[in-house]
Amino acid sequence: EIVPESLLITFVTDLEEMTKHRDWRNRAVAIRGVLSFASFATTSSLQTKLSQICIRAMDDKVHAVRLAAAESICLTGLIHQGATPTGTTRSKSLPDWSEAVVIPQLYDLMQRPVARERQLALYMIQILVSLGIVTKDVTIGVLVPLLLNAAQDVVSNVRLSVAKTLFFFMSGSDQASSDNTQESAPFPNDLLAVLAQHSELHRCVDRLCEDEDLDVNYHARQAKSALESLPTNDTP
């Protein structure tokens, strides 16, 4: 190992203390340091300790700190894609970060009673989509259903975030599919085709287009336009 486990634990403990600093800037910097240590984690106990730092920071009173926590916890999902430092040996029993940390936290945030926390989950979805962190199955089986459920939220600001996320989801996917190199696209063409033909997704966007909130209505129409422009299996 490049860094002994005992030394890593010491570093992570110090990092945890920094997240309690009175200055929110120091707390945000500490949160962003989680990813660096996460790439060295070789045990589930250290993985849990690092993820808990981000999870606790999602309750921070400062918006910038909450965003830093959401970004950091999402980016740990890249570790399974080969972001481990050269020479580090990860235990085969170490759970995948996306499955063990990111997705469970998404579900938890979506069920919270505070609207800003549900909105934070939607921001996490944008990160996961933009960086292609999760698989096609997770996108269709987890992210899309979460968006469909959130679209019925009683809080208009959450529905607005859903409409914006849907537009980001569709426009980002559509733009990626038009790139010359398929490797640069977060979504492969077969996934874009599934989204384009997803009947529940179309109904969700149609409902948001009729939302009584004008802002929701506006952004939903943008999402609808982006959704209708996605390629299908029948598209030449």
Side-chain angles (χ1 to χ4, degrees):
E1 295 181 0
I2 294 178
V3 183
E5 185 77 11
S6 58
L7 187 56
L8 272 176
I9 292 175
T10 299
F11 287 156
V12 172
T13 300
D14 291 341
L15 193 68
E16 191 172 11
E17 287 301 312
M18 283 186 63
T19 63
K20 302 173 185 177
H21 197 279
R22 61 185 298 178
D23 189 331
W24 69 266
R25 296 172 185 81
N26 287 346
R27 298 199 301 274
V29 169
I31 293 302
R32 296 190 185 282
V34 165
L35 186 62
S36 297
F37 290 106
S39 61
F40 287 97
T42 59
T43 63
S44 57
S45 60
L46 187 56
Q47 182 185 56
T48 299
K49 191 174 182 68
L50 285 164
S51 62
Q52 285 300 316
I53 292 176
C54 290
I55 290 171
R56 283 192 295 270
M58 287 183 178
D59 293 325
D60 198 278
K61 61 183 180 180
V62 177
H63 181 62
V65 177
R66 297 195 299 272
L67 291 184
E71 291 164 2
S72 293
I73 203 168
C74 285
L75 289 173
T76 61
L78 289 171
I79 292 174
H80 77 282
Q81 299 179 11
T84 306
T86 303
T88 301
T89 303
R90 185 184 299 112
S91 169
K92 292 183 179 179
S93 62
L94 184 67
D96 179 86
W97 282 88
S98 292
E99 295 178 2
V101 178
V102 182
I103 301 305
Q105 185 58 19
L106 263 181
Y107 278 118
D108 179 67
L109 287 172
M110 281 296 196
Q111 296 172 0
R112 300 261 186 107
V114 181
R116 77 180 187 190
E117 294 174 336
R118 300 196 294 277
Q119 289 176 282
L120 192 60
L122 295 169
Y123 178 61
M124 287 176 64
I125 290 177
Q126 292 185 17
I127 297 172
L128 296 175
V129 169
S130 64
L131 297 180
I133 293 174
V134 294
T135 64
K136 170 187 173 181
D137 289 342
V138 171
T139 300
I140 298 299
V142 176
L143 302 189
V144 171
L146 285 175
L147 285 171
L148 295 177
N149 289 333
Q152 303 177 54
D153 202 286
V154 296
V155 178
S156 61
N157 279 344
V158 175
R159 298 197 305 277
L160 175 59
S161 292
V162 171
K164 289 180 177 180
T165 301
L166 283 169
F167 174 68
F168 180 89
F169 205 92
M170 302 307 163
S171 62
S173 302
D174 185 48
Q175 182 178 7
S177 68
S178 65
D179 288 347
N180 293 327
T181 55
Q182 182 64 30
E183 290 76 14
S184 64
F187 288 169
N189 287 335
D190 60 336
L191 177 53
L192 296 179
V194 172
L195 294 175
Q197 298 174 14
H198 200 297
S199 58
E200 289 185 49
L201 196 58
H202 279 274
R203 286 195 292 270
C204 170
V205 173
D206 288 340
R207 282 196 304 272
L208 290 174
C209 284
E210 299 176 357
D211 197 280
E212 59 185 13
D213 187 288
L214 295 180
D215 288 333
V216 174
N217 190 296
Y218 171 76
H219 288 283
R221 289 198 301 273
Q222 288 189 315
K224 182 179 178 66
S225 177
L227 177 59
E228 291 176 343
S229 69
L230 291 182
T232 66
N233 287 329
D234 299 326
T235 304

